Amino acid sequence: MFIIKTHYSLLLSLLLLAACSQQKTGRTEAVSKAGLASNRQEMPQLRDLIDHLGLQGSVLIYDVEGNIYHSNDFGWADSRHLPASTFKIPNAMIMLESGIMASDTASIKWLGDERMFKSWEQDMTLKQAFHRSCLPCYQQMTRQLGFKQMQQFTGKLIGYGELLYDSTTYDRFWVEGSSGISQMEQIEFLQRLYQEKLPFSERTYQLTKRMIVAQSNAHYRLSAKTGWSIVGDQNNGWYVGFLEADNQLYYFATNLTPKEKFDMSRFSKIRKELTFSAFRYLRIAKKDWEEFQ
């Protein structure tokens, strides 16, 4: 039994790197529930690690050049969960396209209400609200947009799971209710965003792509968003995005649910740590890259 304490993220990497030599190379053909035919390759070592850590869920990585989906659990990757704050990606596009926000640097005024985090109790740009995951900021913009326009714009989000809401829930359906999106569908949406195949303007695409960059250097650019929903006593966490590295493109969507004995103080970071460990396991991350954060 492993003891996981202070060197938590390092342990994830070491466990998966140690398993690289045992990586299976067999590929199987499958058709996703979302309708795209693709190769699927299992990552059993990652499956065992997620289970050992006291989690349920999967990391899904799509290698564009190889046309291969990698995951520890394709059944989980095809199942739907509340989009939570990952919906801030399409929601930001909606606010930009509608003109509610003039640009990613336009200000969202704090109305003086008490919020969950003190860091939310201030004026913010759209980009700041995105990276701070300011739920009340996005709710405020959504109310300004209005129910009918929200219906019109979400109708343009081709293939974005199933969004269920009415005039009383349109400002929070992504964090509560019966809406859902799968990891496969997250990646399909991100592909349409990257390839600019949704009915949005070129300006909206460019502002959105600029806004969602999490970090970059000479070797890679990482664009991503986390998400976290709580329904009753059940937590569910996301980490989705795409990685441009050395002229290669990878899409990813991680979705995790903690088991009863999981240390919830680690849940915020574990979504990213497992995703980056999976990249290292697939030998995508290089030694000379700065450490992912």
Side-chain angles (χ1 to χ4, degrees):
M1 182 65 69
F2 294 104
I3 299 174
I4 302 176
K5 291 185 179 179
T6 56
H7 302 295
Y8 198 61
S9 60
L10 176 60
L11 178 58
L12 296 180
S13 297
L14 290 175
L15 287 174
L16 288 176
L17 284 170
C20 279
S21 61
Q22 302 174 6
Q23 184 176 354
K24 296 181 179 180
T25 57
R27 298 176 181 175
T28 58
E29 294 290 337
V31 178
S32 74
K33 292 180 181 178
L36 295 180
S38 63
N39 292 332
R40 295 184 172 195
Q41 185 166 303
E42 298 278 352
M43 293 191 290
Q45 292 86 353
L46 184 63
R47 180 189 61 230
D48 295 342
L49 176 58
I50 288 175
D51 180 67
H52 172 75
L53 292 174
L55 298 160
Q56 292 178 295
S58 70
V59 177
L60 178 67
I61 295 174
Y62 178 51
D63 175 351
V64 174
E65 183 179 36
N67 187 31
I68 302 172
Y69 279 95
H70 301 271
S71 181
N72 59 291
D73 188 338
F74 284 104
W76 192 283
D78 277 322
S79 64
R80 286 174 170 168
H81 307 270
L82 279 168
S85 285
T86 66
F87 185 70
K88 286 185 174 68
I89 298 176
N91 206 359
M93 295 183 71
I94 290 170
M95 297 309 153
L96 290 166
E97 188 76 7
S98 67
I100 294 296
M101 299 302 292
S103 73
D104 59 332
T105 59
S107 180
I108 306 166
K109 298 294 183 182
W110 174 43
L111 301 179
D113 52 313
E114 185 177 350
R115 295 177 171 176
M116 183 180 296
F117 303 108
K118 287 297 180 182
S119 61
W120 289 355
E121 295 180 354
Q122 57 184 293
D123 294 350
M124 279 184 243
T125 65
L126 180 61
K127 182 176 181 178
Q128 288 171 331
F130 179 86
H131 287 284
R132 296 177 188 177
S133 208
C134 180
L135 173 61
C137 295
Y138 276 79
Q139 290 180 307
Q140 183 176 316
M141 290 186 292
T142 300
R143 294 178 194 125
Q144 187 177 349
L145 180 73
F147 170 60
K148 290 185 178 180
Q149 276 200 290
M150 191 63 166
Q151 281 185 309
Q152 293 172 5
F153 277 107
T154 54
K156 296 181 178 183
L157 303 178
I158 302 166
Y160 192 85
E162 187 174 25
L163 302 180
L164 303 173
Y165 61 91
D166 57 28
S167 59
T168 66
T169 60
Y170 76 99
D171 62 348
R172 59 185 182 279
F173 64 87
W174 57 92
V175 290
E176 61 181 68
S178 301
S179 295
I181 186 170
S182 71
Q183 291 166 260
M184 284 288 185
E185 290 168 330
Q186 290 271 20
I187 286 179
E188 289 163 17
F189 167 75
L190 290 167
Q191 286 180 279
R192 294 187 182 99
L193 166 60
Y194 189 88
Q195 298 169 2
E196 302 185 7
K197 291 186 175 181
L198 294 166
F200 289 84
S201 68
E202 175 66 19
R203 183 175 184 273
T204 291
Y205 280 117
Q206 295 308 311
L207 289 172
T208 302
K209 289 179 181 180
R210 180 176 74 180
M211 184 185 71
I212 66 176
V213 174
Q215 62 185 98
S216 63
N217 66 13
H219 302 283
Y220 70 87
R221 179 166 59 186
L222 175 70
S223 301
K225 185 70 189 78
T226 56
W228 188 339
S229 64
I230 304 175
V231 179
D233 60 354
Q234 185 65 71
N235 289 265
N236 183 263
W238 286 100
Y239 191 52
V240 307
F242 47 88
L243 175 67
E244 300 163 276
D246 296 331
N247 298 315
Q248 302 296 321
L249 177 62
Y250 307 89
Y251 296 92
F252 61 89
T254 294
N255 184 271
L256 299 168
T257 293
K259 296 179 182 178
E260 185 177 354
K261 294 184 179 180
F262 182 79
D263 179 0
M264 286 304 297
S265 68
R266 300 193 181 277
F267 193 58
S268 180
K269 292 184 177 181
I270 194 65
R271 297 165 292 174
K272 295 181 180 181
E273 290 176 348
L274 278 169
T275 303
F276 302 150
S277 290
F279 275 122
R280 295 186 184 95
Y281 169 73
L282 295 171
R283 298 180 181 177
I284 293 169
K286 295 184 177 181
K287 290 182 180 180
D288 60 347
W289 291 7
E290 70 181 46
E291 190 72 12
F292 285 121
Q293 300 296 323

